Amino acid sequence: AYEISGVPKAIEKYLGNAEKYNITELPKISLSFLLDANGVVDLVSATASFTEWVTEEKEVRKKNKKKTQKSKDSKKEKDQDESKSETGETEDEKDAETEKSETADDDDTTGTAAADAETETETEEKPEIEFVHRKRTHRVDLNAVRIGPEDVKSMQQSDFAHSAKILLELDDRDRSVRETAHARNDLETYIFESRNRISDEKNVQKVSTEAERDAFLEVLNNAEDWIWDIEKESAGVYKSKIRELKQAGNDMFLRADELEARPAAIAAVGKTLSQLYESVEMLRTNYTWINATEIDKLENVTKKAEVWLNTKIEEQDEKSLLEKPAYLSYDIYYKVEPAVELAKKLLSRQKPYGWGKKKKAKNGTNTTTESAQSGKDGEEAYTSKIDADGEIENDDGDGADVEAENKDDSETEGQDANDKTDL
């Protein structure tokens, strides 16, 4: 609320002083408000406007113009001459010529008189005084003071706590309403989708009998009627009903889904097993710095997964489509996953620094320190040292062997990287 003051003082100034101001009407009060971004209205300005009519003298200069009229006598003479020319056709030619000459003289005289009659005459400019009425507006700024409401008291600490509690309760109610709506929507969606799958999907018909499908359809219809009959709705009630329906129909749908998922999983895992066997051969040939025990472990894990897969495939072939599957598609992926992780670990292991190279003895003599694997591969012995710039120099000046071995190492590492990508 705002308190506006200064109006009586302004009225006394302009309406009470009739000698100075010609104002007879009450002022017009104008209030300007501003709405900020928070939706709060604030008073910006308050003014009182007085309207005064003022009469002023103004000097105006005008030009007076007069216009003479045509002579009436010249007009009459012209009419008489025209009548004479019409009636004088029976007279002699001489008299006609005389009359024509006289008429021409009269016309010249008449034209000169008419031209003189139409001339305008101008008089001198004379100043005139006119009274002009003009409106003058007087604006007075008023005083505006914001005052607080008297009927609303300021909130105490306990009031703030109580209001916060109410807000939390309202939030819980809103959350409960949203969760209930989502749970009901999920239940209705499951009912409609299950009903469509039973009637449309051929795989469902292959893995179930007609009695099973009819029984489950009856359960779905009863659940749909139950939705409209429930009195007290809650998210927990709807979720419990969804679990009940899934328990009754998920076995049938699982058999239908696995009918296509198992062949795809077998094909993918068969390709993975082939890549694992290739990795074992590559590790034995190129990764000489890896212990043979770890490579054998990878081979054993791979064979174990292959044997398990073949056994489960034979068991599933003996079962009917109406029975519970011997294995599921995700079981195949879980079974081969340990072998894949072990292969990635071994293939990512880098060659130790200085593997298969000669080391220079401290007394200056060359001592051969070859490993058992380097002797099998027939690598030639050589000595090298690394200078400050990182370049490798041979003691005997022959750098061809070092370059050849570095090339072989780079090729081996490139092949290893390709094998990792395949896995």
Side-chain angles (χ1 to χ4, degrees), residues 221-415:
N221 294 332
N222 294 335
E224 186 177 7
D225 296 337
W226 172 85
I227 293 176
W228 300 103
D229 296 339
I230 187 173
E231 296 180 357
K232 187 176 181 180
E233 296 182 333
S234 66
V237 173
Y238 288 125
K239 290 179 180 180
S240 176
K241 195 65 176 181
I242 293 175
R243 289 193 296 267
E244 181 181 346
L245 295 179
K246 288 183 177 181
Q247 186 176 3
N250 270 11
D251 293 340
M252 178 174 56
F253 293 143
L254 179 63
R255 294 195 299 269
D257 295 336
E258 289 295 325
L259 196 61
E260 294 182 355
R262 279 196 305 270
I266 292 173
V269 171
K271 185 178 179 180
T272 303
L273 292 175
S274 300
Q275 293 176 353
L276 288 173
Y277 283 122
E278 293 176 0
S279 300
V280 170
E281 296 298 329
M282 184 180 58
L283 288 171
R284 294 187 189 278
T285 304
N286 299 327
Y287 287 69
T288 56
W289 57 89
I290 296 179
N291 194 342
T293 305
E294 296 182 277
I295 300 175
D296 295 339
K297 181 180 178 181
L298 174 60
E299 185 177 8
N300 294 333
V301 173
T302 304
K303 289 181 179 180
K304 185 178 179 180
E306 184 179 10
V307 171
W308 178 88
L309 179 60
N310 293 331
T311 304
K312 290 299 180 180
I313 291 175
E314 293 176 358
E315 293 180 4
Q316 181 62 36
D317 292 339
E318 296 177 357
K319 286 181 174 291
S320 172
L321 295 178
L322 302 177
E323 298 177 355
K324 183 179 179 180
Y327 65 98
L328 301 177
S329 57
Y330 58 82
D331 293 335
I332 304 175
Y333 296 110
Y334 289 156
K335 196 66 178 180
V336 79
E337 184 178 0
V340 174
E341 295 296 330
L342 181 57
K344 289 181 180 179
K345 180 180 178 181
L346 295 178
L347 290 172
S348 63
R349 186 176 300 177
Q350 300 292 332
K351 180 192 297 186
Y353 177 75
W355 175 263
K357 296 180 181 179
K358 282 186 178 181
K359 294 183 180 179
K360 187 175 180 180
K362 295 181 180 179
N363 55 5
T365 60
N366 294 335
T367 59
T368 303
T369 57
E370 298 180 355
S371 63
Q373 295 297 334
S374 63
K376 293 179 182 179
D377 296 338
E379 297 178 351
E380 296 181 1
Y382 60 91
T383 59
S384 63
K385 64 178 181 179
I386 301 176
D387 58 5
D389 296 333
E391 298 178 355
I392 301 177
E393 297 179 357
N394 294 329
D395 294 339
D396 54 359
D398 187 6
D401 296 337
V402 178
E403 293 177 358
E405 185 172 354
N406 291 337
K407 184 177 181 181
D408 295 337
D409 294 340
S410 62
E411 292 178 355
T412 302
E413 293 176 358
Q415 186 177 1

Side-chain angles (χ1 to χ4, degrees), residues 67-320:
K67 188 175 181 179
T68 59
Q69 297 180 354
K70 295 182 178 180
S71 175
K72 295 181 180 179
D73 296 336
S74 60
K75 187 176 181 181
K76 290 180 180 181
E77 291 177 357
K78 186 176 180 181
D79 295 337
Q80 292 176 1
D81 292 337
E82 290 178 355
S83 62
K84 287 180 181 181
S85 61
E86 292 177 356
T87 57
E89 294 179 355
T90 57
E91 296 181 357
D92 296 335
E93 295 178 357
K94 186 177 180 181
D95 295 336
E97 292 177 357
T98 304
E99 290 178 357
K100 288 180 181 180
S101 61
E102 292 177 356
T103 305
D105 294 336
D106 294 338
D107 292 337
D108 295 337
T109 304
T110 306
T112 304
D116 295 338
E118 291 178 355
T119 56
E120 296 180 354
T121 58
E122 296 182 359
T123 59
E124 296 182 355
E125 297 180 355
K126 295 182 180 181
E128 295 182 1
I129 304 300
E130 292 184 357
F131 293 95
V132 179
H133 300 282
R134 188 169 59 84
K135 183 173 69 173
R136 182 183 298 173
T137 303
H138 303 274
R139 291 183 176 85
V140 180
D141 293 334
L142 304 177
N143 299 324
V145 180
R146 182 192 291 269
I147 58 175
E150 298 179 356
D151 54 343
V152 179
K153 297 181 180 179
S154 60
M155 296 182 65
Q156 303 296 328
Q157 189 66 26
S158 58
D159 298 332
F160 281 108
H162 182 66
S163 299
K165 183 179 179 181
I166 294 176
L167 290 176
L168 291 176
E169 292 178 355
L170 294 176
D171 291 340
D172 292 338
R173 292 179 184 177
D174 294 340
R175 190 183 303 107
S176 176
V177 170
R178 290 194 299 269
E179 291 178 354
T180 302
H182 291 163
R184 175 169 179 168
N185 187 29
D186 294 341
L187 177 58
E188 292 176 345
T189 302
Y190 182 81
I191 292 173
F192 297 148
E193 290 181 352
S194 300
R195 189 179 295 163
N196 293 335
R197 292 191 65 179
I198 292 174
S199 59
D200 297 338
E201 291 189 11
K202 295 181 179 180
N203 290 337
V204 175
Q205 298 176 4
K206 291 179 181 180
V207 299
S208 61
T209 61
E210 186 177 357
E212 291 178 350
R213 295 192 296 271
D214 292 341
F216 188 58
L217 284 175
E218 185 178 357
V219 173
L220 294 176
N221 294 332
N222 294 335
E224 186 177 7
D225 296 337
W226 172 85
I227 293 176
W228 300 103
D229 296 339
I230 187 173
E231 296 180 357
K232 187 176 181 180
E233 296 182 333
S234 66
V237 173
Y238 288 125
K239 290 179 180 180
S240 176
K241 195 65 176 181
I242 293 175
R243 289 193 296 267
E244 181 181 346
L245 295 179
K246 288 183 177 181
Q247 186 176 3
N250 270 11
D251 293 340
M252 178 174 56
F253 293 143
L254 179 63
R255 294 195 299 269
D257 295 336
E258 289 295 325
L259 196 61
E260 294 182 355
R262 279 196 305 270
I266 292 173
V269 171
K271 185 178 179 180
T272 303
L273 292 175
S274 300
Q275 293 176 353
L276 288 173
Y277 283 122
E278 293 176 0
S279 300
V280 170
E281 296 298 329
M282 184 180 58
L283 288 171
R284 294 187 189 278
T285 304
N286 299 327
Y287 287 69
T288 56
W289 57 89
I290 296 179
N291 194 342
T293 305
E294 296 182 277
I295 300 175
D296 295 339
K297 181 180 178 181
L298 174 60
E299 185 177 8
N300 294 333
V301 173
T302 304
K303 289 181 179 180
K304 185 178 179 180
E306 184 179 10
V307 171
W308 178 88
L309 179 60
N310 293 331
T311 304
K312 290 299 180 180
I313 291 175
E314 293 176 358
E315 293 180 4
Q316 181 62 36
D317 292 339
E318 296 177 357
K319 286 181 174 291
S320 172

